[in-house]
Amino acid sequence: EQVRKKIEEQLTEAMLRECWKCKNKFYKVEGCNKMTCRCGAKMCYLCKKEMIDYSHFYGQGGTPTATKTCPLFSDNKMLHQREIARAAMQAKQELEEDNVTLANDPTRDVAMINDLPNSEEEVRDRLFNRWVEVTTRVEEVKVEVVKARLQGVMEVIRQDIGSRQVVKMEDNISRQLEQVSGEIERSV
């Protein structure tokens, strides 16, 4: 019974955020990711960075930049499902390591992380990180004509990463990034 309660608490804790200033715990149902605690402290709901303002966020349809690292709005239901799934996976792993079987397993009906679809934010973040890597390498190209053309291609790719269709376009965008990367290899 104690093990089951502990796991249930872990699943709940997975969704909660803690104010960095007053330690108040909270979770968000809807609204933007700029959180203001009742004590006045501000933080990002996604990355939990402290003392942020709106310059930390990119807007709907936008893409991350060096300073605007998190979306202003996100799919909270999907975010919380993923956090619970991670906590459930960890709990199941601990049960297996301790050779414990529960009659009433609180993780039984939790969708595991591999069963959940990729969220738009995750796909966008993964592609944007790769885009930054490739863009940095484009700057190393010595032939100005090739460099200018690749910069144009990379701008189109950045816009695709920012589109609402990014999940559907993920494979195509990844292929384009690899093609540019291959062209850089041949040019450097």
PDB file of all heavy atoms in Angstrom, residues 31-59:
ATOM      1  N   GLY A  31      -3.285  28.831 -20.681  1.00  0.00           N
ATOM      2  CA  GLY A  31      -2.646  30.143 -20.641  1.00  0.00           C
ATOM      3  C   GLY A  31      -1.217  30.084 -21.108  1.00  0.00           C
ATOM      4  O   GLY A  31      -0.722  29.061 -21.560  1.00  0.00           O
ATOM      5  N   CYS A  32      -0.553  31.216 -20.995  1.00  0.00           N
ATOM      6  CA  CYS A  32       0.811  31.297 -21.500  1.00  0.00           C
ATOM      7  C   CYS A  32       1.794  30.668 -20.516  1.00  0.00           C
ATOM      8  O   CYS A  32       1.458  30.371 -19.372  1.00  0.00           O
ATOM      9  CB  CYS A  32       1.178  32.743 -21.824  1.00  0.00           C
ATOM     10  SG  CYS A  32       1.565  33.773 -20.408  1.00  0.00           S
ATOM     11  N   ASN A  33       3.023  30.479 -20.981  1.00  0.00           N
ATOM     12  CA  ASN A  33       4.048  29.805 -20.178  1.00  0.00           C
ATOM     13  C   ASN A  33       4.838  30.741 -19.273  1.00  0.00           C
ATOM     14  O   ASN A  33       5.744  30.302 -18.580  1.00  0.00           O
ATOM     15  CB  ASN A  33       4.994  29.031 -21.097  1.00  0.00           C
ATOM     16  CG  ASN A  33       4.304  27.833 -21.699  1.00  0.00           C
ATOM     17  OD1 ASN A  33       3.586  27.112 -21.025  1.00  0.00           O
ATOM     18  ND2 ASN A  33       4.506  27.622 -22.989  1.00  0.00           N
ATOM     19  N   LYS A  34       4.506  32.019 -19.276  1.00  0.00           N
ATOM     20  CA  LYS A  34       5.136  32.968 -18.351  1.00  0.00           C
ATOM     21  C   LYS A  34       4.324  32.930 -17.059  1.00  0.00           C
ATOM     22  O   LYS A  34       3.191  33.376 -17.014  1.00  0.00           O
ATOM     23  CB  LYS A  34       5.159  34.377 -18.921  1.00  0.00           C
ATOM     24  CG  LYS A  34       5.797  35.381 -17.969  1.00  0.00           C
ATOM     25  CD  LYS A  34       5.819  36.775 -18.587  1.00  0.00           C
ATOM     26  CE  LYS A  34       6.417  37.744 -17.618  1.00  0.00           C
ATOM     27  NZ  LYS A  34       5.436  38.646 -17.055  1.00  0.00           N
ATOM     28  N   MET A  35       4.899  32.354 -16.042  1.00  0.00           N
ATOM     29  CA  MET A  35       4.185  32.160 -14.785  1.00  0.00           C
ATOM     30  C   MET A  35       4.602  33.230 -13.772  1.00  0.00           C
ATOM     31  O   MET A  35       5.779  33.555 -13.656  1.00  0.00           O
ATOM     32  CB  MET A  35       4.491  30.773 -14.202  1.00  0.00           C
ATOM     33  CG  MET A  35       4.263  29.618 -15.164  1.00  0.00           C
ATOM     34  SD  MET A  35       2.633  29.551 -15.929  1.00  0.00           S
ATOM     35  CE  MET A  35       1.568  29.418 -14.550  1.00  0.00           C
ATOM     36  N   THR A  36       3.609  33.751 -13.069  1.00  0.00           N
ATOM     37  CA  THR A  36       3.862  34.681 -11.975  1.00  0.00           C
ATOM     38  C   THR A  36       3.245  34.078 -10.719  1.00  0.00           C
ATOM     39  O   THR A  36       2.033  33.884 -10.645  1.00  0.00           O
ATOM     40  CB  THR A  36       3.247  36.067 -12.235  1.00  0.00           C
ATOM     41  OG1 THR A  36       3.775  36.569 -13.476  1.00  0.00           O
ATOM     42  CG2 THR A  36       3.583  37.039 -11.120  1.00  0.00           C
ATOM     43  N   CYS A  37       4.072  33.759  -9.764  1.00  0.00           N
ATOM     44  CA  CYS A  37       3.613  33.168  -8.503  1.00  0.00           C
ATOM     45  C   CYS A  37       2.906  34.238  -7.671  1.00  0.00           C
ATOM     46  O   CYS A  37       3.111  35.438  -7.873  1.00  0.00           O
ATOM     47  CB  CYS A  37       4.816  32.607  -7.746  1.00  0.00           C
ATOM     48  SG  CYS A  37       4.397  31.794  -6.181  1.00  0.00           S
ATOM     49  N   ARG A  38       2.147  33.805  -6.700  1.00  0.00           N
ATOM     50  CA  ARG A  38       1.473  34.763  -5.819  1.00  0.00           C
ATOM     51  C   ARG A  38       2.468  35.588  -5.007  1.00  0.00           C
ATOM     52  O   ARG A  38       2.142  36.669  -4.547  1.00  0.00           O
ATOM     53  CB  ARG A  38       0.454  34.053  -4.930  1.00  0.00           C
ATOM     54  CG  ARG A  38       1.042  33.024  -4.011  1.00  0.00           C
ATOM     55  CD  ARG A  38      -0.043  32.357  -3.186  1.00  0.00           C
ATOM     56  NE  ARG A  38       0.506  31.207  -2.499  1.00  0.00           N
ATOM     57  CZ  ARG A  38      -0.161  30.129  -2.218  1.00  0.00           C
ATOM     58  NH1 ARG A  38      -1.419  30.034  -2.532  1.00  0.00           N
ATOM     59  NH2 ARG A  38       0.427  29.127  -1.605  1.00  0.00           N
ATOM     60  N   CYS A  39       3.724  35.101  -4.896  1.00  0.00           N
ATOM     61  CA  CYS A  39       4.751  35.878  -4.195  1.00  0.00           C
ATOM     62  C   CYS A  39       5.375  36.926  -5.114  1.00  0.00           C
ATOM     63  O   CYS A  39       6.178  37.745  -4.674  1.00  0.00           O
ATOM     64  CB  CYS A  39       5.828  34.958  -3.625  1.00  0.00           C
ATOM     65  SG  CYS A  39       6.963  34.273  -4.858  1.00  0.00           S
ATOM     66  N   GLY A  40       5.028  36.884  -6.424  1.00  0.00           N
ATOM     67  CA  GLY A  40       5.546  37.849  -7.389  1.00  0.00           C
ATOM     68  C   GLY A  40       6.697  37.325  -8.237  1.00  0.00           C
ATOM     69  O   GLY A  40       7.087  37.964  -9.215  1.00  0.00           O
ATOM     70  N   ALA A  41       7.252  36.165  -7.895  1.00  0.00           N
ATOM     71  CA  ALA A  41       8.353  35.590  -8.662  1.00  0.00           C
ATOM     72  C   ALA A  41       7.854  35.156 -10.033  1.00  0.00           C
ATOM     73  O   ALA A  41       6.732  34.679 -10.173  1.00  0.00           O
ATOM     74  CB  ALA A  41       8.944  34.397  -7.919  1.00  0.00           C
ATOM     75  N   LYS A  42       8.698  35.312 -11.047  1.00  0.00           N
ATOM     76  CA  LYS A  42       8.346  34.937 -12.413  1.00  0.00           C
ATOM     77  C   LYS A  42       9.252  33.809 -12.878  1.00  0.00           C
ATOM     78  O   LYS A  42      10.425  33.760 -12.545  1.00  0.00           O
ATOM     79  CB  LYS A  42       8.484  36.139 -13.338  1.00  0.00           C
ATOM     80  CG  LYS A  42       7.485  37.246 -13.037  1.00  0.00           C
ATOM     81  CD  LYS A  42       7.727  38.460 -13.895  1.00  0.00           C
ATOM     82  CE  LYS A  42       6.775  39.599 -13.660  1.00  0.00           C
ATOM     83  NZ  LYS A  42       5.939  39.606 -12.515  1.00  0.00           N
ATOM     84  N   MET A  43       8.672  32.902 -13.669  1.00  0.00           N
ATOM     85  CA  MET A  43       9.453  31.791 -14.208  1.00  0.00           C
ATOM     86  C   MET A  43       8.773  31.235 -15.446  1.00  0.00           C
ATOM     87  O   MET A  43       7.584  31.468 -15.680  1.00  0.00           O
ATOM     88  CB  MET A  43       9.652  30.685 -13.171  1.00  0.00           C
ATOM     89  CG  MET A  43       8.381  29.957 -12.771  1.00  0.00           C
ATOM     90  SD  MET A  43       8.643  28.733 -11.480  1.00  0.00           S
ATOM     91  CE  MET A  43       9.125  27.319 -12.466  1.00  0.00           C
ATOM     92  N   CYS A  44       9.541  30.511 -16.238  1.00  0.00           N
ATOM     93  CA  CYS A  44       9.017  29.834 -17.423  1.00  0.00           C
ATOM     94  C   CYS A  44       8.462  28.483 -17.002  1.00  0.00           C
ATOM     95  O   CYS A  44       9.138  27.709 -16.317  1.00  0.00           O
ATOM     96  CB  CYS A  44      10.126  29.645 -18.454  1.00  0.00           C
ATOM     97  SG  CYS A  44       9.597  28.693 -19.902  1.00  0.00           S
ATOM     98  N   TYR A  45       7.241  28.182 -17.415  1.00  0.00           N
ATOM     99  CA  TYR A  45       6.606  26.914 -17.067  1.00  0.00           C
ATOM    100  C   TYR A  45       7.326  25.730 -17.704  1.00  0.00           C
ATOM    101  O   TYR A  45       7.372  24.655 -17.136  1.00  0.00           O
ATOM    102  CB  TYR A  45       5.142  26.921 -17.510  1.00  0.00           C
ATOM    103  CG  TYR A  45       4.338  25.790 -16.926  1.00  0.00           C
ATOM    104  CD1 TYR A  45       3.926  25.820 -15.602  1.00  0.00           C
ATOM    105  CD2 TYR A  45       3.982  24.688 -17.698  1.00  0.00           C
ATOM    106  CE1 TYR A  45       3.188  24.787 -15.050  1.00  0.00           C
ATOM    107  CE2 TYR A  45       3.247  23.652 -17.160  1.00  0.00           C
ATOM    108  CZ  TYR A  45       2.849  23.711 -15.836  1.00  0.00           C
ATOM    109  OH  TYR A  45       2.119  22.681 -15.289  1.00  0.00           O
ATOM    110  N   LEU A  46       7.905  25.923 -18.883  1.00  0.00           N
ATOM    111  CA  LEU A  46       8.535  24.818 -19.599  1.00  0.00           C
ATOM    112  C   LEU A  46       9.938  24.507 -19.101  1.00  0.00           C
ATOM    113  O   LEU A  46      10.233  23.397 -18.689  1.00  0.00           O
ATOM    114  CB  LEU A  46       8.569  25.110 -21.096  1.00  0.00           C
ATOM    115  CG  LEU A  46       7.205  25.256 -21.759  1.00  0.00           C
ATOM    116  CD1 LEU A  46       7.370  25.634 -23.218  1.00  0.00           C
ATOM    117  CD2 LEU A  46       6.397  23.992 -21.620  1.00  0.00           C
ATOM    118  N   CYS A  47      10.827  25.494 -19.157  1.00  0.00           N
ATOM    119  CA  CYS A  47      12.230  25.239 -18.799  1.00  0.00           C
ATOM    120  C   CYS A  47      12.546  25.595 -17.348  1.00  0.00           C
ATOM    121  O   CYS A  47      13.638  25.334 -16.873  1.00  0.00           O
ATOM    122  CB  CYS A  47      13.170  25.980 -19.738  1.00  0.00           C
ATOM    123  SG  CYS A  47      13.215  27.772 -19.490  1.00  0.00           S
ATOM    124  N   LYS A  48      11.586  26.224 -16.673  1.00  0.00           N
ATOM    125  CA  LYS A  48      11.678  26.581 -15.254  1.00  0.00           C
ATOM    126  C   LYS A  48      12.732  27.655 -14.962  1.00  0.00           C
ATOM    127  O   LYS A  48      13.161  27.822 -13.836  1.00  0.00           O
ATOM    128  CB  LYS A  48      11.918  25.331 -14.407  1.00  0.00           C
ATOM    129  CG  LYS A  48      10.847  24.287 -14.609  1.00  0.00           C
ATOM    130  CD  LYS A  48      11.151  23.009 -13.908  1.00  0.00           C
ATOM    131  CE  LYS A  48      10.109  21.979 -14.306  1.00  0.00           C
ATOM    132  NZ  LYS A  48      10.442  20.651 -13.946  1.00  0.00           N
ATOM    133  N   LYS A  49      13.145  28.372 -16.000  1.00  0.00           N
ATOM    134  CA  LYS A  49      14.109  29.455 -15.818  1.00  0.00           C
ATOM    135  C   LYS A  49      13.483  30.555 -14.975  1.00  0.00           C
ATOM    136  O   LYS A  49      12.324  30.907 -15.137  1.00  0.00           O
ATOM    137  CB  LYS A  49      14.535  30.002 -17.186  1.00  0.00           C
ATOM    138  CG  LYS A  49      15.634  31.028 -17.107  1.00  0.00           C
ATOM    139  CD  LYS A  49      16.102  31.444 -18.487  1.00  0.00           C
ATOM    140  CE  LYS A  49      17.184  32.489 -18.361  1.00  0.00           C
ATOM    141  NZ  LYS A  49      17.660  32.935 -19.661  1.00  0.00           N
ATOM    142  N   GLU A  50      14.270  31.125 -14.085  1.00  0.00           N
ATOM    143  CA  GLU A  50      13.800  32.159 -13.161  1.00  0.00           C
ATOM    144  C   GLU A  50      13.898  33.553 -13.771  1.00  0.00           C
ATOM    145  O   GLU A  50      14.680  33.776 -14.690  1.00  0.00           O
ATOM    146  CB  GLU A  50      14.667  32.144 -11.889  1.00  0.00           C
ATOM    147  CG  GLU A  50      14.745  30.815 -11.214  1.00  0.00           C
ATOM    148  CD  GLU A  50      15.800  30.779 -10.115  1.00  0.00           C
ATOM    149  OE1 GLU A  50      16.477  31.797  -9.855  1.00  0.00           O
ATOM    150  OE2 GLU A  50      15.945  29.712  -9.511  1.00  0.00           O
ATOM    151  N   MET A  51      13.107  34.465 -13.225  1.00  0.00           N
ATOM    152  CA  MET A  51      13.213  35.905 -13.518  1.00  0.00           C
ATOM    153  C   MET A  51      13.106  36.218 -15.010  1.00  0.00           C
ATOM    154  O   MET A  51      13.893  36.975 -15.550  1.00  0.00           O
ATOM    155  CB  MET A  51      14.532  36.461 -12.982  1.00  0.00           C
ATOM    156  CG  MET A  51      14.792  36.219 -11.521  1.00  0.00           C
ATOM    157  SD  MET A  51      13.844  37.252 -10.434  1.00  0.00           S
ATOM    158  CE  MET A  51      14.663  38.798 -10.612  1.00  0.00           C
ATOM    159  N   ILE A  52      12.149  35.642 -15.681  1.00  0.00           N
ATOM    160  CA  ILE A  52      12.003  35.865 -17.121  1.00  0.00           C
ATOM    161  C   ILE A  52      10.956  36.931 -17.411  1.00  0.00           C
ATOM    162  O   ILE A  52      10.130  37.259 -16.563  1.00  0.00           O
ATOM    163  CB  ILE A  52      11.636  34.557 -17.862  1.00  0.00           C
ATOM    164  CG1 ILE A  52      10.456  33.830 -17.203  1.00  0.00           C
ATOM    165  CG2 ILE A  52      12.804  33.596 -17.897  1.00  0.00           C
ATOM    166  CD1 ILE A  52       9.177  34.034 -17.885  1.00  0.00           C
ATOM    167  N   ASP A  53      11.027  37.477 -18.618  1.00  0.00           N
ATOM    168  CA  ASP A  53       9.958  38.347 -19.113  1.00  0.00           C
ATOM    169  C   ASP A  53       9.557  37.806 -20.483  1.00  0.00           C
ATOM    170  O   ASP A  53       9.998  36.736 -20.894  1.00  0.00           O
ATOM    171  CB  ASP A  53      10.392  39.815 -19.158  1.00  0.00           C
ATOM    172  CG  ASP A  53      11.592  40.050 -20.053  1.00  0.00           C
ATOM    173  OD1 ASP A  53      11.874  39.202 -20.936  1.00  0.00           O
ATOM    174  OD2 ASP A  53      12.252  41.084 -19.900  1.00  0.00           O
ATOM    175  N   TYR A  54       8.718  38.518 -21.196  1.00  0.00           N
ATOM    176  CA  TYR A  54       8.224  37.996 -22.469  1.00  0.00           C
ATOM    177  C   TYR A  54       9.314  37.841 -23.526  1.00  0.00           C
ATOM    178  O   TYR A  54       9.128  37.128 -24.506  1.00  0.00           O
ATOM    179  CB  TYR A  54       7.070  38.856 -22.993  1.00  0.00           C
ATOM    180  CG  TYR A  54       5.793  38.592 -22.246  1.00  0.00           C
ATOM    181  CD1 TYR A  54       5.278  39.539 -21.371  1.00  0.00           C
ATOM    182  CD2 TYR A  54       5.108  37.394 -22.399  1.00  0.00           C
ATOM    183  CE1 TYR A  54       4.100  39.293 -20.663  1.00  0.00           C
ATOM    184  CE2 TYR A  54       3.940  37.134 -21.705  1.00  0.00           C
ATOM    185  CZ  TYR A  54       3.437  38.086 -20.847  1.00  0.00           C
ATOM    186  OH  TYR A  54       2.283  37.823 -20.147  1.00  0.00           O
ATOM    187  N   SER A  55      10.465  38.461 -23.345  1.00  0.00           N
ATOM    188  CA  SER A  55      11.542  38.318 -24.330  1.00  0.00           C
ATOM    189  C   SER A  55      12.116  36.894 -24.321  1.00  0.00           C
ATOM    190  O   SER A  55      12.831  36.508 -25.239  1.00  0.00           O
ATOM    191  CB  SER A  55      12.648  39.341 -24.073  1.00  0.00           C
ATOM    192  OG  SER A  55      13.281  39.074 -22.838  1.00  0.00           O
ATOM    193  N   HIS A  56      11.778  36.103 -23.327  1.00  0.00           N
ATOM    194  CA  HIS A  56      12.228  34.708 -23.235  1.00  0.00           C
ATOM    195  C   HIS A  56      11.480  33.816 -24.235  1.00  0.00           C
ATOM    196  O   HIS A  56      11.967  32.745 -24.585  1.00  0.00           O
ATOM    197  CB  HIS A  56      11.991  34.210 -21.801  1.00  0.00           C
ATOM    198  CG  HIS A  56      12.291  32.766 -21.581  1.00  0.00           C
ATOM    199  ND1 HIS A  56      13.567  32.269 -21.488  1.00  0.00           N
ATOM    200  CD2 HIS A  56      11.465  31.690 -21.461  1.00  0.00           C
ATOM    201  CE1 HIS A  56      13.519  30.962 -21.284  1.00  0.00           C
ATOM    202  NE2 HIS A  56      12.252  30.583 -21.277  1.00  0.00           N
ATOM    203  N   PHE A  57      10.321  34.261 -24.703  1.00  0.00           N
ATOM    204  CA  PHE A  57       9.420  33.424 -25.490  1.00  0.00           C
ATOM    205  C   PHE A  57       9.338  33.832 -26.956  1.00  0.00           C
ATOM    206  O   PHE A  57       9.459  34.999 -27.283  1.00  0.00           O
ATOM    207  CB  PHE A  57       8.003  33.490 -24.907  1.00  0.00           C
ATOM    208  CG  PHE A  57       7.933  33.074 -23.475  1.00  0.00           C
ATOM    209  CD1 PHE A  57       7.917  34.015 -22.460  1.00  0.00           C
ATOM    210  CD2 PHE A  57       7.890  31.730 -23.129  1.00  0.00           C
ATOM    211  CE1 PHE A  57       7.863  33.633 -21.137  1.00  0.00           C
ATOM    212  CE2 PHE A  57       7.833  31.337 -21.810  1.00  0.00           C
ATOM    213  CZ  PHE A  57       7.822  32.285 -20.809  1.00  0.00           C
ATOM    214  N   TYR A  58       9.091  32.853 -27.807  1.00  0.00           N
ATOM    215  CA  TYR A  58       8.710  33.144 -29.188  1.00  0.00           C
ATOM    216  C   TYR A  58       7.209  32.885 -29.301  1.00  0.00           C
ATOM    217  O   TYR A  58       6.649  32.057 -28.605  1.00  0.00           O
ATOM    218  CB  TYR A  58       9.512  32.333 -30.205  1.00  0.00           C
ATOM    219  CG  TYR A  58       9.422  30.824 -30.084  1.00  0.00           C
ATOM    220  CD1 TYR A  58       8.439  30.114 -30.766  1.00  0.00           C
ATOM    221  CD2 TYR A  58      10.330  30.117 -29.310  1.00  0.00           C
ATOM    222  CE1 TYR A  58       8.353  28.738 -30.672  1.00  0.00           C
ATOM    223  CE2 TYR A  58      10.259  28.737 -29.209  1.00  0.00           C
ATOM    224  CZ  TYR A  58       9.265  28.059 -29.885  1.00  0.00           C
ATOM    225  OH  TYR A  58       9.190  26.693 -29.792  1.00  0.00           O
ATOM    226  N   GLY A  59       6.567  33.632 -30.170  1.00  0.00           N
ATOM    227  CA  GLY A  59       5.119  33.566 -30.292  1.00  0.00           C
ATOM    228  C   GLY A  59       4.643  32.419 -31.162  1.00  0.00           C
ATOM    229  O   GLY A  59       5.438  31.678 -31.742  1.00  0.00           O
TER     230      GLY A  59
END
